[in-house]
Amino acid sequence: MVSRSSESHYLAPGIDQSVKIVVLGPFAVGKTTLVGAVSEIRPASTEERMTEAGKAVDTLRGLSDKTTTTVALDFGRLTLTEDIVLYLFGGPGQPRFSFMIDELIQGALGGVVLVDTARITESWDAMGRLEEADLPYVVAVNTFHGSPRYSEAELRQALDLAPSTPLVECDVRHRGSAKAPLIALVSHLLSRTNLEPVS
């Protein structure tokens, strides 16, 4: 695996499979943080300071500490196994940038949908986009401090998840935890093709 601190930006020898993954979800759910936490290269980000004009159209209810926002996409890379590398594309969460999601989905093999349990319904749009594109996905509950806690059964019911759709919890601020939904997604993709799951 390529070290995150390595000066090299090239792929390790032996990599012969690349997988494009999209990371979707509502505004301020942790997409940029997840991509930054797991990327082994310096992530490309279009995070910009929020302006007064933006605050007028972006709902900041319960997000008073939010000072920046993604205005196009985030990009990162993670070597998952000796022969698989993931290319991660994080999409913007604001409805005014939703037209970009269709472009980001092109060529992706699957997606991660991030959820904040204080705003569960705001993740429905991302799930719907992936379902319309017929892309498999996993749902990752980002464990925000102070957000309500629910059982897996309650979350599956609230999100109307199919039994086959993986549901994981993670803290996107920490690399090991942030990798959990990506590993779950790759295992899910491999299980659909009857290949060996990722351990």
Side-chain angles (χ1 to χ4, degrees):
M1 183 174 292
V2 177
S3 167
R4 188 175 184 189
S5 61
S6 171
E7 292 298 316
S8 173
H9 297 297
Y10 300 103
L11 293 175
I15 296 291
D16 61 10
Q17 296 181 63
S18 61
V19 179
K20 178 182 178 180
I21 301 296
V22 291
V23 181
L24 304 179
F27 177 57
V29 77
K31 300 177 297 296
T32 299
T33 303
L34 184 149
V35 172
V38 302
S39 182
E40 65 197 12
I41 59 173
R42 183 185 300 274
S45 177
T46 56
E47 192 86 347
E48 297 292 341
R49 291 194 63 78
M50 294 187 66
T51 64
E52 290 303 314
K55 290 177 182 178
V57 294
D58 295 325
T59 303
L60 295 177
R61 184 182 68 254
L63 304 170
S64 58
D65 294 336
K66 182 73 171 165
T67 60
T68 61
T69 185
T70 299
V71 296
L73 61 88
D74 301 305
F75 172 77
R77 186 185 79 198
L78 174 64
T79 304
L80 197 62
T81 68
E82 291 180 356
D83 60 350
I84 299 176
V85 65
L86 302 184
Y87 291 108
L88 310 172
F89 291 81
Q94 306 93 312
R96 62 192 168 109
F97 294 131
S98 65
F99 64 93
M100 296 180 186
I101 302 301
D102 294 332
E103 296 295 327
L104 284 181
I105 286 175
Q106 294 296 318
L109 289 187
V112 172
V113 176
L114 281 176
V115 173
D116 176 356
T117 58
R119 304 179 288 139
I120 286 176
T121 60
E122 293 182 18
S123 292
W124 288 350
D125 180 67
M127 293 166 59
R129 292 291 191 98
L130 292 171
E131 289 171 3
E132 287 172 11
D134 198 28
L135 283 181
Y137 64 92
V138 302
V139 172
V141 176
N142 191 8
T143 53
F144 286 97
H145 176 72
S147 287
R149 304 287 294 198
Y150 299 105
S151 69
E152 180 175 343
E154 289 171 321
L155 286 168
R156 285 188 170 279
Q157 182 176 11
L159 293 162
D160 194 24
L161 284 186
S164 61
T165 302
L167 174 66
V168 298
E169 283 194 358
C170 65
D171 183 336
V172 299
R173 299 170 299 175
H174 303 291
R175 190 168 196 249
S177 185
K179 285 169 65 175
L182 302 175
I183 292 169
L185 176 60
V186 172
S187 295
H188 183 49
L189 292 172
L190 292 175
S191 72
R192 292 162 57 97
T193 57
N194 297 315
L195 298 176
E196 282 295 314
V198 176
S199 57

